[in-house]
Amino acid sequence: MFPKLILVSAALVACNALHSFGPRSSKQGSFNEYLLFTRASLNPEVFNSSLASIQETSMVLTRNTTIIVHGHGGSGDTTLNPTVQNALLQVEDAEVIVVDWSQYSLQSYTNAVNAVPSVGAYLGSLISQLVEAGVAAYGSIHIVGFGLGAHVAGYAGRGVNGQVARITGLDPSGNQWGTNSNRLKSSDAKYVEVIHTDGFGLLPNGIGTNLGHVDIYANGGEGQPGCFLSSACSHQRAWELFAASLTHSHLNAHSCNSFAEMRLNRCRGILFPIGTNAMSKFGNGVYRINTGRRYPY
Ligand SMILES: *[C@@H]1O[C@H](CO)[C@@H](O)[C@H](O)[C@H]1NC(C)=O
Ligand SMILES: *[C@@H]1O[C@H](CO)[C@@H](O)[C@H](O)[C@H]1NC(C)=O
């Protein structure tokens, strides 16, 4: 009886190890779809992570690459994508890759959470292949992830052979990630910025703790103006603010001496631009920005 028990627990341990260290061994990410948008191709170029497929795209090394990852309930068509993509292409001759992982993101929240490691690992492989193919460099890659997509970005950044320039986590999901050591973290890219918009209150979508090099709490990180206590509305505001930051320069946050100061709206420190697509952005600490209720906030 005892050896059997030991066997069972060994198998459980092995299973857990597989789950934490081998996300590529789960196949959810193989359903990822990648859509490339540039100023010249507003109809997306659909491609996959094979070198042949990458080389057929119009990607070139000289342009920066921004990768957008939607969250739970999202897909390739989700409003976040065209909003961020159009704002970015308006101001920069960039390459925008939209990741569509709707095979799993449209399922239950728990199924979507379970797919995150694999979806992120496959995205990491794609990024490594872009570099391998000579159409992108780690120093000019920015992954922008919303909700669960922020944690996908973390897994992707962790899975590449180099270090991507930036990850921006837009109100990263908190549910099932609060104590998960594999959530988005500052070691996932050279620079990790997090914009929190729904991190507190009753059943928030976001996470009210610091995850990146820079953590920006919009209006204290909850109850966004104009959202009338709608948690979903506050959550979405994260990408609306990010999109606005690409085309407008008034979105600057004040640095805070402490988390408590941030919550009490007493931050008076230096101003720091939130979001943008700058590839060499650096900073540290907690910031607060108070915004308006309507675009461009
Ligand atoms: C990737 O795309 C190429 C076409 O560019 C296609 O030949 C190949 O079968 C695709 N691979 C997968 C795994 O879908
Ligand atoms: C790429 O990003 C860098 C740093 O943000 C910027 O200076 C440069 O102009 C961008 N490249 C293009 C082609 O816009």
Side-chain angles (χ1 to χ4, degrees):
M1 183 186 183
F2 280 126
K4 219 184 207 167
L5 258 181
I6 289 164
L7 256 181
V8 168
S9 27
L12 275 176
V13 167
C15 219
N16 278 334
L18 201 68
H19 186 70
S20 339
F21 303 114
R24 191 96 166 57
S25 61
S26 309
K27 65 165 184 10
Q28 292 106 321
S30 66
F31 293 94
N32 287 357
E33 285 187 357
Y34 306 112
L35 309 164
L36 172 69
F37 295 85
T38 66
R39 283 180 170 177
S41 53
L42 287 173
N43 287 320
E45 299 173 45
V46 182
F47 66 106
N48 62 39
S49 58
S50 76
L51 281 180
S53 178
I54 289 167
Q55 278 154 356
E56 275 169 22
T57 70
S58 64
M59 289 187 77
V60 288
L61 187 57
T62 48
R63 286 189 296 227
N64 296 319
T65 307
T66 300
I67 302 173
I68 312 174
V69 191
H70 64 74
H72 179 234
S75 72
D77 304 323
T78 225
T79 322
L80 141 84
N81 293 324
T83 308
V84 170
Q85 161 206 320
N86 292 337
L88 182 52
L89 293 179
Q90 191 185 318
V91 297
E92 185 179 325
D93 185 16
E95 288 162 352
V96 179
I97 296 174
V98 166
V99 178
D100 183 331
W101 61 285
S102 54
Q103 284 279 348
Y104 292 90
S105 66
L106 294 179
Q107 295 187 20
S108 69
Y109 182 77
T110 294
N111 284 2
V113 167
N114 289 338
V116 163
S118 174
V119 168
Y122 274 80
L123 177 57
S125 302
L126 175 84
I127 293 169
S128 298
Q129 287 284 78
L130 295 178
V131 174
E132 178 76 23
V135 300
Y138 288 120
S140 50
I141 294 175
H142 179 189
I143 315 175
V144 179
F146 170 60
L148 282 184
H151 300 299
V152 169
Y155 273 93
R158 234 165 279 162
V160 299
N161 300 321
Q163 215 182 16
V164 299
R166 268 185 81 172
I167 290 176
T168 300
L170 301 173
D171 210 34
S173 299
N175 185 1
Q176 300 187 34
W177 295 95
T179 56
N180 185 334
S181 60
N182 289 317
R183 67 192 194 184
L184 174 65
K185 44 179 168 272
S186 55
S187 50
D188 295 335
K190 271 212 181 86
Y191 172 70
V192 176
E193 179 172 309
V194 179
I195 300 177
H196 301 266
T197 53
D198 186 38
F200 307 95
L202 201 65
L203 303 175
N205 291 291
I207 191 165
T209 47
N210 301 332
L211 304 179
H213 294 101
V214 163
D215 283 80
I216 298 161
Y217 293 83
N219 305 290
E222 65 175 322
Q224 299 307 310
C227 280
F228 307 106
L229 304 179
S230 158
S231 177
C233 169
S234 288
H235 187 45
Q236 305 284 331
R237 186 61 54 84
W239 61 258
E240 294 170 334
L241 288 172
F242 178 75
S245 81
L246 297 168
T247 48
H248 294 74
S249 56
H250 67 287
L251 292 167
N252 297 300
H254 277 287
S255 93
C256 312
N257 290 315
S258 67
F259 200 80
E261 215 182 72
M262 181 281 291
R263 292 291 285 159
L264 293 167
N265 195 14
R266 289 192 185 142
C267 305
R268 303 283 181 271
I270 54 150
L271 283 171
F272 187 83
I274 80 165
T276 80
N277 194 47
M279 288 294 163
S280 41
K281 194 175 179 185
F282 298 99
N284 247 299
V286 176
Y287 292 77
R288 173 169 177 143
I289 183 171
N290 295 329
T291 70
R293 58 177 54 215
R294 258 182 257 104
Y295 178 86
Y297 311 104

